[in-house]
Amino acid sequence: MIAKVADPILVAIVALVGTIVGGLVAGCVQLVVAKMSRSTQVEVLQLQATQEADRVWRDHRRQIYADFLTATTTTMDLIEVYTQAPSDTDTDTESAIPDVHTDSGFPDVQEVRKAMHEFTRAYSDLSLVAGAEMRAVALRVMEMINDSYVAALEGHETPERPADLSHNVVVEAMQKELGLHQAASTPVPSPR
């Protein structure tokens, strides 16, 4: 009779121990999987955050580069038109800045100065975010525009734009800096 009573108790104890051990194993497996899943989620979130920050930074730099190109084109065009404007030489011959007839459709000296100020601001912004190669190209553009600006204000002919500072060269340097690659067979049209 003891064997009959011990048998169901033994079975119950073995079943209870098996349930406890099985629960502990399942709980440990769940904890390990949850921890791995959480660390994977954290890594994915960190990767997504890094990619988003890179995209925002690249977009910000792209906008600064676009502003620089716009300011360069606007300033060069205004300087070019300004130098073609007839000056009023009958009033004050000692003035270093020619008096431009604004009613003739030509820009006056204040418009050229404003464009130069905007160009300088765009150059400064670009200098803060650009890499070394792009800063070197931008510096050369700045020097060229400064030379043209001074020549225009002094009434001299503006110097020609060097071929190595063409619009295409500047755009290609920007694309290289931004990691954008354009096919060599598709040239970027010049704004002129």
Side-chain angles (χ1 to χ4, degrees):
M1 178 148 150
I2 294 181
K4 290 183 181 182
V5 174
D7 233 336
I9 293 176
L10 185 61
V11 170
I13 292 173
V14 169
L16 182 62
V17 170
T19 304
I20 292 173
V21 170
L24 287 175
V25 169
C28 289
V29 168
Q30 284 181 342
L31 284 175
V32 169
V33 168
K35 187 174 183 177
M36 289 172 48
S37 175
R38 175 148 169 72
S39 66
T40 302
Q41 287 175 349
V42 168
E43 288 174 8
V44 167
L45 289 175
Q46 287 174 341
L47 179 63
Q48 288 173 342
T50 301
Q51 289 172 340
E52 180 65 16
D54 288 347
R55 186 194 61 76
V56 168
W57 176 242
R58 192 172 38 256
D59 289 348
H60 181 67
R61 285 174 53 201
R62 186 178 295 135
Q63 183 59 49
I64 289 172
Y65 289 178
D67 291 347
F68 178 77
L69 282 175
T70 301
T72 299
T73 303
T74 302
T75 304
M76 287 302 293
D77 290 347
L78 271 175
I79 289 172
E80 186 176 316
V81 171
Y82 179 79
T83 58
Q84 296 171 0
S87 62
D88 188 1
T89 56
D90 298 334
T91 57
D92 184 16
T93 56
E94 295 182 15
S95 175
I97 302 172
D99 183 20
V100 176
H101 300 285
T102 57
D103 58 349
S104 66
F106 290 102
D108 66 2
V109 71
Q110 294 305 322
E111 289 177 89
V112 175
R113 284 182 177 160
K114 182 179 176 187
M116 189 63 185
H117 174 75
E118 286 300 312
F119 170 76
T120 304
R121 183 200 53 77
Y123 170 77
S124 297
D125 290 349
L126 182 133
S127 296
L128 291 173
V129 300
E133 186 176 336
M134 187 60 226
R135 280 195 313 269
V137 170
L139 179 62
R140 295 206 48 237
V141 170
M142 176 66 143
E143 291 168 347
M144 178 200 58
I145 288 181
N146 276 337
D147 292 346
S148 298
Y149 176 68
V150 169
L153 293 182
E154 292 177 350
H156 303 300
E157 187 174 315
T158 58
E160 287 290 319
R161 186 175 195 164
D164 64 335
L165 284 181
S166 71
H167 182 78
N168 290 350
V169 170
V170 175
V171 168
E172 286 172 9
M174 289 176 176
Q175 288 175 335
K176 182 177 179 184
E177 182 102 359
L178 291 170
L180 306 172
H181 300 289
Q182 186 172 10
S185 61
T186 324
V188 178
S190 178
R192 295 182 189 218

